[in-house]
PDB file of all heavy atoms in Angstrom:
ATOM      1  N   ALA A  56     -61.314  40.534  18.452  1.00  0.00           N
ATOM      2  CA  ALA A  56     -60.881  39.776  17.270  1.00  0.00           C
ATOM      3  C   ALA A  56     -62.064  39.059  16.627  1.00  0.00           C
ATOM      4  O   ALA A  56     -62.218  39.074  15.398  1.00  0.00           O
ATOM      5  CB  ALA A  56     -59.794  38.775  17.647  1.00  0.00           C
ATOM      6  N   ALA A  57     -62.906  38.436  17.437  1.00  0.00           N
ATOM      7  CA  ALA A  57     -64.075  37.732  16.907  1.00  0.00           C
ATOM      8  C   ALA A  57     -65.020  38.707  16.210  1.00  0.00           C
ATOM      9  O   ALA A  57     -65.548  38.418  15.130  1.00  0.00           O
ATOM     10  CB  ALA A  57     -64.793  36.993  18.021  1.00  0.00           C
ATOM     11  N   SER A  58     -65.211  39.869  16.793  1.00  0.00           N
ATOM     12  CA  SER A  58     -66.057  40.892  16.182  1.00  0.00           C
ATOM     13  C   SER A  58     -65.470  41.376  14.860  1.00  0.00           C
ATOM     14  O   SER A  58     -66.185  41.541  13.872  1.00  0.00           O
ATOM     15  CB  SER A  58     -66.229  42.064  17.150  1.00  0.00           C
ATOM     16  OG  SER A  58     -66.906  43.121  16.531  1.00  0.00           O
ATOM     17  N   LEU A  59     -64.159  41.582  14.837  1.00  0.00           N
ATOM     18  CA  LEU A  59     -63.503  42.043  13.615  1.00  0.00           C
ATOM     19  C   LEU A  59     -63.598  41.006  12.502  1.00  0.00           C
ATOM     20  O   LEU A  59     -63.812  41.347  11.340  1.00  0.00           O
ATOM     21  CB  LEU A  59     -62.033  42.367  13.884  1.00  0.00           C
ATOM     22  CG  LEU A  59     -61.769  43.570  14.777  1.00  0.00           C
ATOM     23  CD1 LEU A  59     -60.283  43.676  15.095  1.00  0.00           C
ATOM     24  CD2 LEU A  59     -62.265  44.843  14.133  1.00  0.00           C
ATOM     25  N   ARG A  60     -63.465  39.729  12.853  1.00  0.00           N
ATOM     26  CA  ARG A  60     -63.573  38.664  11.845  1.00  0.00           C
ATOM     27  C   ARG A  60     -64.937  38.713  11.170  1.00  0.00           C
ATOM     28  O   ARG A  60     -65.047  38.602   9.951  1.00  0.00           O
ATOM     29  CB  ARG A  60     -63.338  37.296  12.486  1.00  0.00           C
ATOM     30  CG  ARG A  60     -63.295  36.160  11.450  1.00  0.00           C
ATOM     31  CD  ARG A  60     -63.180  34.807  12.110  1.00  0.00           C
ATOM     32  NE  ARG A  60     -64.328  34.446  12.908  1.00  0.00           N
ATOM     33  CZ  ARG A  60     -65.499  34.043  12.419  1.00  0.00           C
ATOM     34  NH1 ARG A  60     -65.684  33.947  11.123  1.00  0.00           N
ATOM     35  NH2 ARG A  60     -66.487  33.732  13.223  1.00  0.00           N
ATOM     36  N   GLU A  61     -65.968  38.910  11.964  1.00  0.00           N
ATOM     37  CA  GLU A  61     -67.320  39.013  11.414  1.00  0.00           C
ATOM     38  C   GLU A  61     -67.462  40.253  10.529  1.00  0.00           C
ATOM     39  O   GLU A  61     -68.060  40.200   9.463  1.00  0.00           O
ATOM     40  CB  GLU A  61     -68.362  39.033  12.535  1.00  0.00           C
ATOM     41  CG  GLU A  61     -68.469  37.736  13.296  1.00  0.00           C
ATOM     42  CD  GLU A  61     -68.901  36.578  12.420  1.00  0.00           C
ATOM     43  OE1 GLU A  61     -69.788  36.748  11.564  1.00  0.00           O
ATOM     44  OE2 GLU A  61     -68.319  35.480  12.592  1.00  0.00           O
ATOM     45  N   ARG A  62     -66.930  41.378  10.981  1.00  0.00           N
ATOM     46  CA  ARG A  62     -67.043  42.629  10.224  1.00  0.00           C
ATOM     47  C   ARG A  62     -66.315  42.552   8.889  1.00  0.00           C
ATOM     48  O   ARG A  62     -66.789  43.072   7.885  1.00  0.00           O
ATOM     49  CB  ARG A  62     -66.516  43.805  11.048  1.00  0.00           C
ATOM     50  CG  ARG A  62     -67.442  44.159  12.194  1.00  0.00           C
ATOM     51  CD  ARG A  62     -66.864  45.178  13.134  1.00  0.00           C
ATOM     52  NE  ARG A  62     -66.523  46.440  12.533  1.00  0.00           N
ATOM     53  CZ  ARG A  62     -65.843  47.396  13.143  1.00  0.00           C
ATOM     54  NH1 ARG A  62     -65.427  47.208  14.383  1.00  0.00           N
ATOM     55  NH2 ARG A  62     -65.573  48.529  12.540  1.00  0.00           N
ATOM     56  N   ILE A  63     -65.151  41.903   8.865  1.00  0.00           N
ATOM     57  CA  ILE A  63     -64.371  41.781   7.637  1.00  0.00           C
ATOM     58  C   ILE A  63     -64.932  40.682   6.736  1.00  0.00           C
ATOM     59  O   ILE A  63     -64.843  40.751   5.524  1.00  0.00           O
ATOM     60  CB  ILE A  63     -62.895  41.457   7.967  1.00  0.00           C
ATOM     61  CG1 ILE A  63     -62.234  42.625   8.681  1.00  0.00           C
ATOM     62  CG2 ILE A  63     -62.103  41.121   6.716  1.00  0.00           C
ATOM     63  CD1 ILE A  63     -60.828  42.317   9.185  1.00  0.00           C
ATOM     64  N   GLY A  64     -65.519  39.650   7.346  1.00  0.00           N
ATOM     65  CA  GLY A  64     -65.980  38.511   6.563  1.00  0.00           C
ATOM     66  C   GLY A  64     -64.832  37.567   6.231  1.00  0.00           C
ATOM     67  O   GLY A  64     -64.877  36.848   5.238  1.00  0.00           O
ATOM     68  N   SER A  65     -63.793  37.586   7.059  1.00  0.00           N
ATOM     69  CA  SER A  65     -62.635  36.723   6.805  1.00  0.00           C
ATOM     70  C   SER A  65     -62.801  35.399   7.535  1.00  0.00           C
ATOM     71  O   SER A  65     -63.699  35.231   8.357  1.00  0.00           O
ATOM     72  CB  SER A  65     -61.354  37.420   7.260  1.00  0.00           C
ATOM     73  OG  SER A  65     -61.341  37.584   8.652  1.00  0.00           O
ATOM     74  N   ASP A  66     -61.909  34.469   7.234  1.00  0.00           N
ATOM     75  CA  ASP A  66     -61.935  33.176   7.912  1.00  0.00           C
ATOM     76  C   ASP A  66     -61.255  33.232   9.274  1.00  0.00           C
ATOM     77  O   ASP A  66     -61.545  32.408  10.144  1.00  0.00           O
ATOM     78  CB  ASP A  66     -61.255  32.107   7.047  1.00  0.00           C
ATOM     79  CG  ASP A  66     -62.042  31.807   5.782  1.00  0.00           C
ATOM     80  OD1 ASP A  66     -63.286  31.793   5.846  1.00  0.00           O
ATOM     81  OD2 ASP A  66     -61.416  31.603   4.724  1.00  0.00           O
ATOM     82  N   ALA A  67     -60.323  34.167   9.435  1.00  0.00           N
ATOM     83  CA  ALA A  67     -59.611  34.254  10.715  1.00  0.00           C
ATOM     84  C   ALA A  67     -59.047  35.653  10.911  1.00  0.00           C
ATOM     85  O   ALA A  67     -58.787  36.372   9.948  1.00  0.00           O
ATOM     86  CB  ALA A  67     -58.482  33.232  10.775  1.00  0.00           C
ATOM     87  N   VAL A  68     -58.868  36.010  12.178  1.00  0.00           N
ATOM     88  CA  VAL A  68     -58.209  37.260  12.573  1.00  0.00           C
ATOM     89  C   VAL A  68     -57.205  36.910  13.659  1.00  0.00           C
ATOM     90  O   VAL A  68     -57.492  36.087  14.537  1.00  0.00           O
ATOM     91  CB  VAL A  68     -59.224  38.308  13.093  1.00  0.00           C
ATOM     92  CG1 VAL A  68     -58.533  39.434  13.831  1.00  0.00           C
ATOM     93  CG2 VAL A  68     -60.050  38.863  11.950  1.00  0.00           C
ATOM     94  N   TRP A  69     -56.033  37.511  13.558  1.00  0.00           N
ATOM     95  CA  TRP A  69     -54.996  37.356  14.575  1.00  0.00           C
ATOM     96  C   TRP A  69     -54.609  38.738  15.059  1.00  0.00           C
ATOM     97  O   TRP A  69     -54.458  39.659  14.272  1.00  0.00           O
ATOM     98  CB  TRP A  69     -53.748  36.668  14.006  1.00  0.00           C
ATOM     99  CG  TRP A  69     -54.043  35.330  13.420  1.00  0.00           C
ATOM    100  CD1 TRP A  69     -54.031  34.130  14.063  1.00  0.00           C
ATOM    101  CD2 TRP A  69     -54.392  35.044  12.070  1.00  0.00           C
ATOM    102  NE1 TRP A  69     -54.354  33.120  13.200  1.00  0.00           N
ATOM    103  CE2 TRP A  69     -54.588  33.661  11.958  1.00  0.00           C
ATOM    104  CE3 TRP A  69     -54.586  35.830  10.923  1.00  0.00           C
ATOM    105  CZ2 TRP A  69     -54.937  33.026  10.784  1.00  0.00           C
ATOM    106  CZ3 TRP A  69     -54.940  35.217   9.741  1.00  0.00           C
ATOM    107  CH2 TRP A  69     -55.113  33.822   9.680  1.00  0.00           C
ATOM    108  N   ILE A  70     -54.444  38.877  16.362  1.00  0.00           N
ATOM    109  CA  ILE A  70     -53.997  40.144  16.948  1.00  0.00           C
ATOM    110  C   ILE A  70     -52.763  39.828  17.782  1.00  0.00           C
ATOM    111  O   ILE A  70     -52.768  38.893  18.589  1.00  0.00           O
ATOM    112  CB  ILE A  70     -55.097  40.787  17.810  1.00  0.00           C
ATOM    113  CG1 ILE A  70     -56.328  41.103  16.944  1.00  0.00           C
ATOM    114  CG2 ILE A  70     -54.573  42.057  18.478  1.00  0.00           C
ATOM    115  CD1 ILE A  70     -57.528  41.612  17.707  1.00  0.00           C
ATOM    116  N   THR A  71     -51.708  40.595  17.547  1.00  0.00           N
ATOM    117  CA  THR A  71     -50.458  40.374  18.278  1.00  0.00           C
ATOM    118  C   THR A  71     -50.091  41.614  19.082  1.00  0.00           C
ATOM    119  O   THR A  71     -50.674  42.685  18.899  1.00  0.00           O
ATOM    120  CB  THR A  71     -49.280  40.087  17.319  1.00  0.00           C
ATOM    121  OG1 THR A  71     -48.887  41.291  16.663  1.00  0.00           O
ATOM    122  CG2 THR A  71     -49.638  39.026  16.291  1.00  0.00           C
ATOM    123  N   ASP A  72     -49.080  41.448  19.916  1.00  0.00           N
ATOM    124  CA  ASP A  72     -48.511  42.605  20.605  1.00  0.00           C
ATOM    125  C   ASP A  72     -47.492  43.269  19.678  1.00  0.00           C
ATOM    126  O   ASP A  72     -47.373  42.888  18.504  1.00  0.00           O
ATOM    127  CB  ASP A  72     -47.899  42.197  21.949  1.00  0.00           C
ATOM    128  CG  ASP A  72     -46.688  41.279  21.817  1.00  0.00           C
ATOM    129  OD1 ASP A  72     -46.146  41.102  20.710  1.00  0.00           O
ATOM    130  OD2 ASP A  72     -46.263  40.736  22.857  1.00  0.00           O
ATOM    131  N   ASP A  73     -46.745  44.211  20.212  1.00  0.00           N
ATOM    132  CA  ASP A  73     -45.814  44.975  19.375  1.00  0.00           C
ATOM    133  C   ASP A  73     -44.559  44.193  18.978  1.00  0.00           C
ATOM    134  O   ASP A  73     -43.736  44.682  18.213  1.00  0.00           O
ATOM    135  CB  ASP A  73     -45.417  46.284  20.066  1.00  0.00           C
ATOM    136  CG  ASP A  73     -44.757  46.058  21.409  1.00  0.00           C
ATOM    137  OD1 ASP A  73     -44.848  44.944  21.963  1.00  0.00           O
ATOM    138  OD2 ASP A  73     -44.142  47.020  21.915  1.00  0.00           O
ATOM    139  N   GLU A  74     -44.434  42.954  19.437  1.00  0.00           N
ATOM    140  CA  GLU A  74     -43.307  42.097  19.037  1.00  0.00           C
ATOM    141  C   GLU A  74     -43.747  40.924  18.174  1.00  0.00           C
ATOM    142  O   GLU A  74     -42.938  40.089  17.795  1.00  0.00           O
ATOM    143  CB  GLU A  74     -42.578  41.578  20.283  1.00  0.00           C
ATOM    144  CG  GLU A  74     -41.908  42.676  21.080  1.00  0.00           C
ATOM    145  CD  GLU A  74     -41.241  42.139  22.337  1.00  0.00           C
ATOM    146  OE1 GLU A  74     -41.374  40.919  22.638  1.00  0.00           O
ATOM    147  OE2 GLU A  74     -40.574  42.939  23.011  1.00  0.00           O
ATOM    148  N   GLY A  75     -45.050  40.835  17.902  1.00  0.00           N
ATOM    149  CA  GLY A  75     -45.570  39.741  17.088  1.00  0.00           C
ATOM    150  C   GLY A  75     -46.035  38.532  17.873  1.00  0.00           C
ATOM    151  O   GLY A  75     -46.367  37.504  17.303  1.00  0.00           O
ATOM    152  N   LYS A  76     -46.100  38.672  19.211  1.00  0.00           N
ATOM    153  CA  LYS A  76     -46.597  37.580  20.058  1.00  0.00           C
ATOM    154  C   LYS A  76     -48.126  37.627  20.064  1.00  0.00           C
ATOM    155  O   LYS A  76     -48.735  38.676  20.238  1.00  0.00           O
ATOM    156  CB  LYS A  76     -46.081  37.699  21.486  1.00  0.00           C
ATOM    157  CG  LYS A  76     -44.579  37.733  21.592  1.00  0.00           C
ATOM    158  CD  LYS A  76     -43.985  36.368  21.420  1.00  0.00           C
ATOM    159  CE  LYS A  76     -42.526  36.381  21.787  1.00  0.00           C
ATOM    160  NZ  LYS A  76     -41.637  36.007  20.729  1.00  0.00           N
ATOM    161  N   LEU A  77     -48.733  36.469  19.889  1.00  0.00           N
ATOM    162  CA  LEU A  77     -50.168  36.363  19.692  1.00  0.00           C
ATOM    163  C   LEU A  77     -50.978  36.666  20.948  1.00  0.00           C
ATOM    164  O   LEU A  77     -50.722  36.107  22.014  1.00  0.00           O
ATOM    165  CB  LEU A  77     -50.497  34.948  19.206  1.00  0.00           C
ATOM    166  CG  LEU A  77     -51.912  34.700  18.731  1.00  0.00           C
ATOM    167  CD1 LEU A  77     -52.208  35.526  17.473  1.00  0.00           C
ATOM    168  CD2 LEU A  77     -52.110  33.234  18.436  1.00  0.00           C
ATOM    169  N   TYR A  78     -51.958  37.582  20.799  1.00  0.00           N
ATOM    170  CA  TYR A  78     -52.958  37.840  21.830  1.00  0.00           C
ATOM    171  C   TYR A  78     -54.225  37.040  21.549  1.00  0.00           C
ATOM    172  O   TYR A  78     -54.822  36.471  22.442  1.00  0.00           O
ATOM    173  CB  TYR A  78     -53.364  39.319  21.847  1.00  0.00           C
ATOM    174  CG  TYR A  78     -52.536  40.209  22.714  1.00  0.00           C
ATOM    175  CD1 TYR A  78     -51.990  41.374  22.184  1.00  0.00           C
ATOM    176  CD2 TYR A  78     -52.316  39.941  24.048  1.00  0.00           C
ATOM    177  CE1 TYR A  78     -51.240  42.230  22.973  1.00  0.00           C
ATOM    178  CE2 TYR A  78     -51.568  40.781  24.840  1.00  0.00           C
ATOM    179  CZ  TYR A  78     -51.023  41.926  24.296  1.00  0.00           C
ATOM    180  OH  TYR A  78     -50.276  42.762  25.066  1.00  0.00           O
ATOM    181  N   ALA A  79     -54.659  37.069  20.277  1.00  0.00           N
ATOM    182  CA  ALA A  79     -55.938  36.449  19.933  1.00  0.00           C
ATOM    183  C   ALA A  79     -55.854  35.795  18.562  1.00  0.00           C
ATOM    184  O   ALA A  79     -55.216  36.320  17.653  1.00  0.00           O
ATOM    185  CB  ALA A  79     -57.049  37.501  19.934  1.00  0.00           C
ATOM    186  N   ASP A  80     -56.537  34.652  18.438  1.00  0.00           N
ATOM    187  CA  ASP A  80     -56.546  33.872  17.204  1.00  0.00           C
ATOM    188  C   ASP A  80     -57.937  33.292  17.023  1.00  0.00           C
ATOM    189  O   ASP A  80     -58.313  32.368  17.742  1.00  0.00           O
ATOM    190  CB  ASP A  80     -55.500  32.760  17.290  1.00  0.00           C
ATOM    191  CG  ASP A  80     -55.597  31.752  16.156  1.00  0.00           C
ATOM    192  OD1 ASP A  80     -56.223  32.050  15.132  1.00  0.00           O
ATOM    193  OD2 ASP A  80     -55.029  30.653  16.305  1.00  0.00           O
ATOM    194  N   THR A  81     -58.703  33.818  16.087  1.00  0.00           N
ATOM    195  CA  THR A  81     -60.059  33.307  15.887  1.00  0.00           C
ATOM    196  C   THR A  81     -60.075  31.977  15.146  1.00  0.00           C
ATOM    197  O   THR A  81     -61.102  31.321  15.110  1.00  0.00           O
ATOM    198  CB  THR A  81     -60.951  34.322  15.137  1.00  0.00           C
ATOM    199  OG1 THR A  81     -60.437  34.511  13.819  1.00  0.00           O
ATOM    200  CG2 THR A  81     -61.050  35.636  15.878  1.00  0.00           C
ATOM    201  N   SER A  82     -58.944  31.562  14.562  1.00  0.00           N
ATOM    202  CA  SER A  82     -58.890  30.242  13.911  1.00  0.00           C
ATOM    203  C   SER A  82     -58.733  29.139  14.952  1.00  0.00           C
ATOM    204  O   SER A  82     -58.931  27.967  14.653  1.00  0.00           O
ATOM    205  CB  SER A  82     -57.728  30.169  12.908  1.00  0.00           C
ATOM    206  OG  SER A  82     -56.482  30.062  13.567  1.00  0.00           O
ATOM    207  N   ARG A  83     -58.354  29.508  16.152  1.00  0.00           N
ATOM    208  CA  ARG A  83     -58.173  28.600  17.286  1.00  0.00           C
ATOM    209  C   ARG A  83     -57.138  27.510  17.017  1.00  0.00           C
ATOM    210  O   ARG A  83     -57.227  26.421  17.555  1.00  0.00           O
ATOM    211  CB  ARG A  83     -59.500  27.981  17.695  1.00  0.00           C
ATOM    212  CG  ARG A  83     -60.469  29.023  18.152  1.00  0.00           C
ATOM    213  CD  ARG A  83     -61.699  28.464  18.727  1.00  0.00           C
ATOM    214  NE  ARG A  83     -62.480  29.584  19.213  1.00  0.00           N
ATOM    215  CZ  ARG A  83     -63.760  29.555  19.386  1.00  0.00           C
ATOM    216  NH1 ARG A  83     -64.422  28.464  19.151  1.00  0.00           N
ATOM    217  NH2 ARG A  83     -64.388  30.610  19.829  1.00  0.00           N
ATOM    218  N   SER A  84     -56.151  27.847  16.195  1.00  0.00           N
ATOM    219  CA  SER A  84     -55.118  26.854  15.902  1.00  0.00           C
ATOM    220  C   SER A  84     -53.794  27.157  16.590  1.00  0.00           C
ATOM    221  O   SER A  84     -52.913  26.313  16.618  1.00  0.00           O
ATOM    222  CB  SER A  84     -54.906  26.735  14.394  1.00  0.00           C
ATOM    223  OG  SER A  84     -54.502  27.973  13.847  1.00  0.00           O
ATOM    224  N   LEU A  85     -53.667  28.361  17.156  1.00  0.00           N
ATOM    225  CA  LEU A  85     -52.427  28.751  17.820  1.00  0.00           C
ATOM    226  C   LEU A  85     -52.704  29.115  19.273  1.00  0.00           C
ATOM    227  O   LEU A  85     -53.802  29.569  19.605  1.00  0.00           O
ATOM    228  CB  LEU A  85     -51.799  29.949  17.114  1.00  0.00           C
ATOM    229  CG  LEU A  85     -51.436  29.757  15.638  1.00  0.00           C
ATOM    230  CD1 LEU A  85     -50.955  31.071  15.047  1.00  0.00           C
ATOM    231  CD2 LEU A  85     -50.389  28.678  15.477  1.00  0.00           C
ATOM    232  N   ARG A  86     -51.705  28.979  20.096  1.00  0.00           N
ATOM    233  CA  ARG A  86     -51.844  29.353  21.504  1.00  0.00           C
ATOM    234  C   ARG A  86     -51.455  30.805  21.706  1.00  0.00           C
ATOM    235  O   ARG A  86     -50.603  31.339  21.005  1.00  0.00           O
ATOM    236  CB  ARG A  86     -50.947  28.492  22.368  1.00  0.00           C
ATOM    237  CG  ARG A  86     -51.420  27.083  22.442  1.00  0.00           C
ATOM    238  CD  ARG A  86     -50.654  26.350  23.461  1.00  0.00           C
ATOM    239  NE  ARG A  86     -51.343  25.075  23.666  1.00  0.00           N
ATOM    240  CZ  ARG A  86     -50.935  24.181  24.493  1.00  0.00           C
ATOM    241  NH1 ARG A  86     -49.859  24.372  25.206  1.00  0.00           N
ATOM    242  NH2 ARG A  86     -51.590  23.055  24.621  1.00  0.00           N
ATOM    243  N   ARG A  87     -52.059  31.398  22.716  1.00  0.00           N
ATOM    244  CA  ARG A  87     -51.703  32.765  23.090  1.00  0.00           C
ATOM    245  C   ARG A  87     -50.206  32.809  23.355  1.00  0.00           C
ATOM    246  O   ARG A  87     -49.642  31.916  23.979  1.00  0.00           O
ATOM    247  CB  ARG A  87     -52.483  33.189  24.327  1.00  0.00           C
ATOM    248  CG  ARG A  87     -52.284  34.646  24.669  1.00  0.00           C
ATOM    249  CD  ARG A  87     -53.207  35.046  25.814  1.00  0.00           C
ATOM    250  NE  ARG A  87     -53.237  36.473  25.989  1.00  0.00           N
ATOM    251  CZ  ARG A  87     -52.338  37.165  26.688  1.00  0.00           C
ATOM    252  NH1 ARG A  87     -51.338  36.560  27.251  1.00  0.00           N
ATOM    253  NH2 ARG A  87     -52.452  38.465  26.798  1.00  0.00           N
ATOM    254  N   GLY A  88     -49.550  33.824  22.834  1.00  0.00           N
ATOM    255  CA  GLY A  88     -48.114  33.968  23.011  1.00  0.00           C
ATOM    256  C   GLY A  88     -47.293  33.378  21.872  1.00  0.00           C
ATOM    257  O   GLY A  88     -46.082  33.561  21.828  1.00  0.00           O
ATOM    258  N   ALA A  89     -47.937  32.668  20.930  1.00  0.00           N
ATOM    259  CA  ALA A  89     -47.206  32.117  19.783  1.00  0.00           C
ATOM    260  C   ALA A  89     -46.527  33.254  19.030  1.00  0.00           C
ATOM    261  O   ALA A  89     -47.043  34.371  18.961  1.00  0.00           O
ATOM    262  CB  ALA A  89     -48.153  31.355  18.866  1.00  0.00           C
ATOM    263  N   ASP A  90     -45.382  32.984  18.466  1.00  0.00           N
ATOM    264  CA  ASP A  90     -44.596  34.010  17.775  1.00  0.00           C
ATOM    265  C   ASP A  90     -44.973  34.072  16.296  1.00  0.00           C
ATOM    266  O   ASP A  90     -44.509  33.258  15.505  1.00  0.00           O
ATOM    267  CB  ASP A  90     -43.103  33.713  17.928  1.00  0.00           C
ATOM    268  CG  ASP A  90     -42.236  34.821  17.354  1.00  0.00           C
ATOM    269  OD1 ASP A  90     -42.762  35.900  17.020  1.00  0.00           O
ATOM    270  OD2 ASP A  90     -41.019  34.585  17.251  1.00  0.00           O
TER     271      ASP A  90
END
């Protein structure tokens, strides 16, 4: 996620599982597993 944020040039990247539960958050504002 951190690598992708740099490649895109965005402020944040979020990666979820297939139900929308958070795996990674480069903004560091949400906890892993957030819906």
Side-chain angles (χ1 to χ4, degrees):
S58 173
L59 292 173
R60 186 185 65 76
E61 293 298 319
R62 289 172 59 189
I63 293 173
S65 66
D66 293 322
V68 165
W69 303 271
I70 299 174
T71 74
D72 66 12
D73 59 345
E74 295 178 355
K76 303 283 191 240
L77 190 65
Y78 271 128
D80 170 18
T81 65
S82 74
R83 298 188 176 157
S84 60
L85 300 174
R86 290 189 169 180
R87 187 174 191 276
D90 186 11

